[in-house]
Amino acid sequence: MNWEIVIGLEIHAQLSTKSKLFSGAAVGFGAEPNTQTALVDLGMPGSLPVLNKEALRMAVMFGLAVNADIGMKSVFARKNYFYPDLPKGYQTSQMDDPIVGVGHLDITLEDGSTKRVGITRAHLEEDAGKSLHEDFHGMTGIDLNRSSTPLLEIVSEPDIRSAKEAVAYVKTIHSIVTYLGICDGNMAEGSMRCDVNISLRPKGQQEYGTRTEIKNVNSFRFIEKAIHTEVERQADILEDGGKITQETRLYDPEKNETRSMRSKEDANDYRYFPCPDLLPVELTQGYVDSIKATLPELPAQKTQRFMNDYQLSEYDASVLSSSREMANYFETVTAEAKNAKLSANWVMGELSKFLNQNQMDVSQSPVSAENLGLLLLRIEDNTINGKTAKDVFQSMWNEEGTADEIIENKGLKQVTDTKAIEEMIQSVLDANPSQVEQYRVSEPDKQKKMNGFFIGQIMKASQGKANPSLVNPILAKLLKD
Amino acid sequence: MHSQNITLLAQQLRNKEFSSVELTQYYLEQIKQHDASLNSFITLTEERALDLARQADIRIQNGENNPLIGIPIAHKDLFCTENTLTTCASKILHNFVPPYESTVTQRMLESGTVMLGKTNMDEFAMGSSNENSYFGAVKNPWNLNAVPGGSSGGSAAAVSANLAVAATGTDTGGSIRQPASFCGITGLKPTYGRVSRFGMIAFASSLDQAGPMARSAEDCAHIMNSIAGFDDKDSTSSETKTEDYTAQLNLPLTGLKIGLPKEYFGEALDPEVAKVTLDAAKEFEKLGATLVDISLPNLNLSIPSYYVIAPSEASSNLSRFDGVRFGYRCEDPKDLLDMYMRSRSEGFGAEVQKRIMVGTYALSEGYYDAYYLKAQKIRRLIKQDFVNALTEVDVIMGPVAPTTAFNLNSKTQDPVAMYLEDIYTLSANLAGIPAMSIPSGFIDKMPVGLQIMGNYFAEAKLLNIAHQFQQHTDWHTQTPSLTEGA
């Protein structure tokens, strides 16, 4: 059967506030257990929560960035369940009246097409602590440093139809929250965690199939793999005439499989009710407008601007605007090189290749945007050709100097003297008389192929310094003679 | 014997008739002599009290004039006190020593009061008789066979028996006013949000409110000057400006319109209590007030509404007592679930467990709308009743409880009868308005309180009304004789 995949995502983004959602304790990763806790984070009797206004502001920023309705009156609710690392016996979250309501965003797929994905809601909630099972001789340790860390849970509509779309969606959310500066986007440290809801239905059917939820998938790659695995599992069951059990599953990246965590029947009744320790949060339009005024240029706007200002394709523009750092880098290169297309090719090509190989972020690049721009200038003014430029870039990456220094030191300057080039070509032809003979009696197709041979020999002889745009016509002329 | 009159004591301290240390020693002695039979204290903080008294004497010597400096008081044992055992009268917190101070006790500390100890109460403030305490029932100083009322029964009994000049209490559904009435003292439940809840171990967060319990309205006013006011640690605390609560005490009551709701004088009310209450109301006519018959039509809905909302919030508030981080943990738990279940079953008393179960049920999927949401709607109706009534009249008066203090063990088997004790007090909590209980007479040698309810943040007015009554009556000055066994 031909199945349609239906995916909805819940993303927990940890907000980059200095202190916790309901206390003044510092938020941080990797501190000694239970050193970053205030009374309320410990569930101390008599302690009370006080909302962190910065977290509220960040949630509103996100709402505005995804074109959402802002909850002018939002209500915190308690989600009640017992767990050792949940110190109050409830999580303070939002249920009926979230801070961010219905919105949407557009994702760009690899083929350049775009797709709109609905945002159902986004709400503020506090994180739980951590249970530590190692080093306690059969007992469990509790670390409440993470307790009450602010999270924004972003819930999408089930509008996503493939693993690729899911990844594109998560990447878009990732770039929005990092652009806004409201989340560091560090998935390895759990600053962004995804729950993926997946169901299948026969193509053409309106009704949704039974879904499963895969918890805590924490990298773009795992999202894609987990979805493939789960889709396959569900399809196998359905094709055998079975039924999907509504349940929560865990993805095991080592075995590349999902396995059942708990079924719907085991699910808690969370007994949500409005938190009586926190008053409803009422916003004024003036407050929302003041936040709107501070919003930075967002990825989608930047993509559009790159397309308009630099005549980039939508795909190139969206890749270059995927992070604020990448976009800034690109624009700095372009400002130096005065050639957007060339800059885009280099940033997405050579630079990205080196960054990926070294698992580096653009902000860590040893080649500054200014220096890359200067390198590209040397291509444009024919000082060096593209191939040489790649060697120069390699040297720049190894911190051997600026483009000009390297070109100078290594004598890589392109030969642009027509007379010199003509002499050099002639000597190459003289050294290969039989090939010249053969060329002259061949069909045009064959000639084209042989042309490559001569160019190769010429470049070798010139050590890459011959300007290709001069070599070609001279070679053609000399071969004719 | 010392008077329980903060203004007078403050003068005497400054006149060097005695020092705060001497006053404190006197009260510690009184407690040692009489509290064995009353059981009004859970913890006595003798050394700390003497230390605080010494500091107070220095402050008095330095000319500081806050009348609370050096005054020995007691705190209900649900206010967290730093490094001092805070039990909420529960086994589950029998060993809990908070690392911090509640706002109420902190402010009282800064005002210079001397804490003698922590008073007994119904476990987690759940009860109307102070029989639900892990540390045993409190006895009524007027009759050791009678209950002192609850949940602030320890504070009420201690003040009544002059084992402390004044005390703090908390009132979720009548827990300051009903024991004040039963023990013949003055108690004020302020407007919700007037006094910070930070550091008060929560029973029902949307209803809990701390307030003073003392001999007189004037003393309550002194304490309000210390504890009232915005606290940025409590998001529900009000930013409405506080007043000097002693400044208006002497205003005349001419022209005051007092509403008497007919629903407060129905069948549930003991006829003798009704008579005492109406007589007290008539006393106000002599002071220039007029009495107006009014109606609060939804009074009878306050019990069902309260007994859904309060347990619902409690079921969640008390989830943190799970044996994981502090308090009681059962012996040798075989797994996590066993630890939760036995720690809580063994740690909470019967009434607390009952209310946790009621609240858990009311919030459950499928019942939430029928119970919790409906109760909230009723709450809004009750509030509206008061808002409407208080546009016609300045204050509302009525009984505090249907009867005087009943005998120990007489209602423990009949929860509905026990819950009916709160019928006249619950609605002030549901509406969030301030309400007082002042001594207004005796029936068979047992005190009867008069309830005065006012508009939001009208504490100064209530205290003024109560003070004027107390200038013309002497019910509040009556003290129980502690010679018979106590």
Side-chain angles (χ1 to χ4, degrees):
Chain A
M1 181 150 346
N2 212 347
W3 300 105
E4 183 176 42
I5 305 168
V6 177
I7 297 169
L9 286 150
E10 290 162 25
I11 297 175
H12 289 87
Q14 180 184 320
L15 297 176
S16 327
T17 53
K18 289 197 184 71
S19 58
K20 294 190 174 174
L21 186 53
F22 298 118
S23 83
V27 172
F29 182 78
E32 279 286 299
N34 299 311
T35 55
Q36 296 185 328
T37 51
L39 296 168
V40 74
D41 312 323
L42 300 168
M44 199 58 79
S47 61
L48 291 172
V50 176
L51 179 62
N52 181 339
K53 296 211 168 64
E54 189 59 9
L56 184 72
R57 191 184 67 84
M58 288 178 170
V60 172
M61 279 177 92
F62 176 80
L64 293 170
V66 295
N67 318 292
D69 302 329
I70 302 301
M72 299 305 280
K73 181 176 175 178
S74 63
V75 175
F76 283 96
R78 291 184 184 175
K79 179 181 181 179
N80 295 281
Y81 63 99
F82 286 99
Y83 206 73
D85 58 27
L86 189 71
K88 299 191 294 292
Y90 55 83
Q91 178 194 30
T92 309
S93 179
Q94 296 188 310
M95 184 62 181
D96 290 337
D97 303 290
I99 182 72
V100 176
V102 173
H104 62 81
L105 52 79
D106 294 327
I107 58 174
T108 305
L109 304 170
E110 272 173 35
D111 65 4
S113 64
T114 62
K115 171 168 179 155
R116 179 154 290 189
V117 178
I119 302 285
T120 313
R121 57 184 282 154
H123 63 257
L124 283 167
E125 64 182 27
E126 57 180 342
D127 209 341
K130 271 183 190 162
S131 295
L132 310 169
H133 299 289
E134 288 151 27
D135 307 329
F136 291 95
H137 315 287
M139 299 202 289
T140 299
I142 307 290
D143 176 8
L144 295 174
N145 280 352
R146 202 179 64 183
S147 168
S148 193
T149 295
L151 302 177
L152 186 67
E153 178 172 338
I154 304 156
V155 183
S156 85
E157 288 289 300
D159 289 345
I160 296 162
R161 293 288 173 271
S162 70
K164 287 246 183 299
E165 287 183 16
V167 171
Y169 170 79
V170 179
K171 283 187 169 165
T172 306
I173 293 282
H174 185 272
S175 70
I176 290 173
V177 295
T178 51
Y179 258 69
L180 294 173
I182 63 172
C183 172
D184 67 21
N186 190 329
M187 295 180 85
E189 286 181 7
S191 299
M192 238 180 92
R193 313 196 282 268
C194 298
D195 300 339
V196 190
N197 287 284
I198 304 176
S199 67
L200 299 187
R201 63 181 172 190
K203 271 235 162 79
Q205 182 180 302
Q206 280 298 306
E207 221 179 299
Y208 292 126
T210 305
R211 67 189 162 86
T212 58
E213 180 180 18
I214 310 172
K215 277 271 177 210
N216 274 336
V217 199
N218 291 339
S219 79
F220 298 128
R221 199 161 59 91
F222 289 163
I223 290 168
E224 191 164 357
K225 290 177 80 174
I227 290 172
H228 285 313
T229 311
E230 178 60 13
V231 164
E232 219 168 282
R233 191 190 69 88
Q234 289 192 15
D236 286 350
I237 293 172
L238 293 170
E239 272 159 22
D240 289 347
K243 279 188 173 161
I244 305 298
T245 314
Q246 188 175 339
E247 62 185 352
T248 305
R249 299 179 71 84
L250 264 187
Y251 175 67
D252 180 344
E254 279 174 25
K255 295 185 182 154
N256 191 31
E257 62 176 31
T258 66
R259 57 172 179 268
S260 182
M261 211 170 122
R262 56 172 184 260
S263 76
K264 194 192 174 193
E265 284 70 42
D266 303 333
N268 280 306
D269 175 355
Y270 291 119
R271 293 170 284 121
Y272 278 99
F273 76 108
C275 179
D277 286 332
L278 293 159
L279 300 174
V281 181
E282 297 191 44
L283 306 181
T284 62
Q285 194 55 48
Y287 172 80
V288 175
D289 290 344
S290 72
I291 293 175
K292 201 179 241 169
T294 66
L295 283 188
E297 186 183 36
L298 289 163
Q301 295 161 337
K302 199 159 266 192
T303 302
Q304 200 55 54
R305 183 165 64 82
F306 283 4
M307 289 163 67
N308 294 342
D309 291 4
Y310 303 123
Q311 279 78 48
L312 298 181
S313 73
E314 181 165 9
Y315 180 74
D316 288 0
S318 76
V319 169
L320 289 170
S321 14
S322 65
S323 85
R324 197 138 63 153
E325 289 74 22
M326 184 64 95
N328 287 345
Y329 192 100
F330 160 72
E331 289 206 275
T332 310
V333 174
T334 306
E336 289 291 337
K338 314 273 188 301
N339 182 335
K341 183 67 199 159
L342 183 67
S343 301
N345 287 343
W346 271 77
V347 171
M348 291 168 64
E350 210 62 9
L351 176 74
S352 294
K353 188 179 89 187
F354 273 72
L355 290 174
N356 289 340
Q357 280 167 358
N358 293 282
Q359 295 187 318
M360 277 174 158
D361 189 82
V362 69
S363 62
Q364 301 164 295
S365 169
V367 179
S368 72
E370 288 79 5
N371 282 343
L372 178 56
L374 292 171
L375 171 64
L376 302 190
L377 263 187
R378 295 294 162 258
I379 300 175
E380 284 171 276
D381 66 13
N382 287 325
T383 307
I384 53 173
N385 61 35
K387 190 173 170 302
T388 306
K390 288 185 179 177
D391 297 336
V392 176
F393 183 81
Q394 167 83 63
S395 299
M396 287 167 73
W397 184 273
N398 295 335
E399 300 183 342
E400 291 169 23
T402 64
D404 284 346
E405 287 162 3
I406 294 163
I407 292 166
E408 183 63 37
N409 293 345
K410 298 198 170 175
L412 299 174
K413 203 165 175 179
Q414 200 155 236
V415 181
T416 47
D417 176 345
T418 331
K419 189 106 175 84
I421 291 176
E422 198 170 328
E423 281 168 14
M424 190 180 63
I425 294 176
Q426 192 56 60
S427 65
V428 169
L429 296 184
D430 291 349
N432 298 283
S434 60
Q435 278 87 346
V436 174
E437 212 43 49
Q438 204 184 341
Y439 178 94
R440 287 182 172 150
V441 299
S442 293
E443 297 293 313
D445 273 4
K446 175 86 171 152
Q447 281 186 341
K448 241 182 205 164
K449 280 182 194 159
M450 292 193 69
N451 203 47
F453 163 79
F454 291 118
I455 297 274
Q457 293 298 312
I458 294 160
M459 284 302 170
K460 205 167 150 189
S462 77
Q463 292 168 311
K465 286 186 283 187
N467 183 341
S469 58
L470 295 175
V471 170
N472 276 319
I474 296 170
L475 175 64
K477 193 186 102 198
L478 292 180
L479 279 171
K480 229 181 235 171
D481 292 346
Chain B
M1 177 156 148
H2 287 286
S3 79
Q4 280 171 296
N5 179 330
I6 292 173
T7 310
L8 179 61
L9 288 169
Q11 234 166 51
Q12 291 170 322
L13 285 167
R14 280 158 186 79
N15 293 344
K16 299 202 164 48
E17 292 176 35
F18 44 79
S19 66
S20 174
V21 169
E22 285 163 345
L23 188 63
T24 301
Q25 277 164 341
Y26 167 82
Y27 273 101
L28 290 168
E29 197 49 46
Q30 287 295 104
I31 294 167
K32 283 178 198 162
Q33 265 185 38
H34 300 294
D35 203 44
S37 52
L38 292 177
N39 196 28
S40 65
F41 280 85
I42 290 174
T43 304
L44 211 57
T45 51
E46 188 168 356
E47 265 178 56
R48 177 149 166 75
L50 290 170
D51 194 43
L52 289 170
R54 276 188 285 273
Q55 293 173 33
D57 282 329
I58 294 170
R59 287 176 67 176
I60 290 168
Q61 206 156 12
N62 289 343
E64 286 191 50
N65 54 17
N66 187 330
L68 290 174
I69 299 174
I71 303 295
I73 53 93
H75 287 304
K76 187 175 183 177
D77 204 21
L78 62 53
F79 292 98
C80 285
T81 42
E82 193 173 358
N83 299 326
T84 298
L85 190 66
T86 300
T87 68
C88 250
S90 181
K91 181 179 178 184
I92 213 155
L93 286 178
H94 73 286
N95 58 357
F96 177 60
V97 178
Y100 75 108
E101 193 78 30
S102 77
T103 297
V104 165
T105 54
Q106 178 64 36
R107 289 183 176 177
M108 291 280 275
L109 204 58
E110 285 163 11
S111 298
T113 60
V114 172
M115 180 176 81
L116 299 165
K118 307 288 293 286
T119 57
N120 205 342
M121 53 184 282
D122 280 301
E123 183 180 1
F124 284 102
M126 296 178 191
S128 310
S129 67
N130 218 312
E131 292 168 290
N132 304 326
S133 168
Y134 175 61
F135 299 93
V138 178
K139 315 289 165 42
N140 190 315
W142 291 92
N143 173 359
L144 295 180
N145 294 316
V147 302
S151 67
S152 310
S155 290
V159 173
S160 171
N162 200 1
L163 305 186
V165 176
T168 53
T170 62
D171 190 316
T172 306
S175 283
I176 286 175
R177 291 160 288 158
Q178 187 250 21
S181 172
F182 279 14
C183 292
I185 64 164
T186 305
L188 166 65
K189 178 203 94 72
T191 307
Y192 181 79
R194 178 70 301 171
V195 176
S196 169
R197 293 186 299 112
F198 179 76
M200 262 171 68
I201 297 177
F203 160 16
S205 313
S206 75
L207 301 159
D208 294 344
Q209 182 64 202
M213 302 176 80
R215 183 59 62 199
S216 65
E218 187 181 355
D219 285 359
C220 286
H222 284 306
I223 294 172
M224 280 299 284
N225 278 346
S226 170
I227 64 176
F230 175 71
D231 178 11
D232 61 10
K233 297 198 202 79
D234 174 3
S235 311
T236 63
S237 105
S238 170
E239 296 191 53
T240 305
K241 263 190 66 181
T242 55
E243 304 169 64
D244 177 349
Y245 294 97
T246 57
Q248 297 175 35
L249 292 175
N250 292 313
L251 293 183
L253 302 186
T254 327
L256 182 76
K257 279 166 91 176
I258 298 171
L260 298 175
K262 63 171 195 265
E263 293 80 6
Y264 277 61
F265 296 89
E267 270 179 31
L269 185 64
D270 178 297
E272 288 185 88
V273 175
K275 186 177 178 306
V276 170
T277 308
L278 287 171
D279 285 349
K282 284 188 189 122
E283 193 69 31
F284 283 100
E285 282 187 314
K286 293 185 204 159
L287 301 176
T290 49
L291 303 179
V292 183
D293 287 327
I294 60 162
S295 175
L296 296 169
N298 293 299
L299 173 74
N300 62 333
L301 295 177
S302 62
I303 290 186
S305 169
Y306 177 89
Y307 278 98
V308 168
I309 293 169
S312 293
E313 293 181 9
S315 71
S316 175
N317 283 335
L318 271 56
S319 294
R320 68 188 61 197
F321 305 107
D322 55 6
V324 174
R325 294 164 309 281
F326 42 72
Y328 177 77
R329 182 189 286 178
C330 68
E331 293 286 331
D332 302 320
K334 69 173 194 286
D335 56 24
L336 180 64
L337 191 63
D338 184 49
M339 182 178 89
Y340 282 154
M341 301 215 313
R342 283 204 291 121
S343 297
R344 288 169 65 82
S345 303
E346 294 164 17
F348 288 132
E351 181 63 27
V352 173
Q353 292 192 32
K354 193 192 298 169
R355 295 198 197 191
I356 289 173
M357 283 190 278
V358 167
T360 303
Y361 182 82
L363 291 176
S364 304
E365 209 175 320
Y367 298 98
Y368 179 80
D369 290 8
Y371 292 105
Y372 186 81
L373 277 190
K374 188 149 229 175
Q376 290 291 6
K377 280 182 196 153
I378 293 171
R379 183 175 186 174
R380 285 193 283 277
L381 292 178
I382 289 168
K383 179 180 168 171
Q384 200 51 49
D385 280 357
F386 279 103
V387 169
N388 294 341
L390 288 165
T391 56
E392 288 176 45
V393 295
D394 299 310
V395 288
I396 296 165
M397 289 188 190
V400 175
T403 61
T404 55
F406 47 88
N407 281 346
L408 287 155
N409 300 316
S410 65
K411 291 192 180 179
T412 43
Q413 298 310 310
D414 187 352
V416 174
M418 191 69 100
Y419 292 173
L420 278 170
E421 267 304 305
D422 303 329
I423 182 157
Y424 304 127
T425 46
L426 297 177
S427 42
N429 299 83
L430 290 167
I433 56 168
M436 286 190 79
S437 172
I438 59 170
S440 61
F442 285 83
I443 298 167
D444 297 335
K445 295 183 182 165
M446 293 304 283
V448 183
L450 170 73
Q451 186 170 204
I452 315 174
M453 292 169 274
N455 223 326
Y456 297 94
F457 302 104
E459 286 81 6
K461 184 179 217 83
L462 293 189
L463 290 163
N464 164 224
I465 293 166
H467 180 70
Q468 287 306 304
F469 183 80
Q470 292 179 343
Q471 294 302 98
H472 292 86
T473 59
D474 63 358
W475 307 115
H476 67 291
T477 62
Q478 313 280 317
T479 51
S481 146
L482 294 178
T483 47
E484 297 163 45

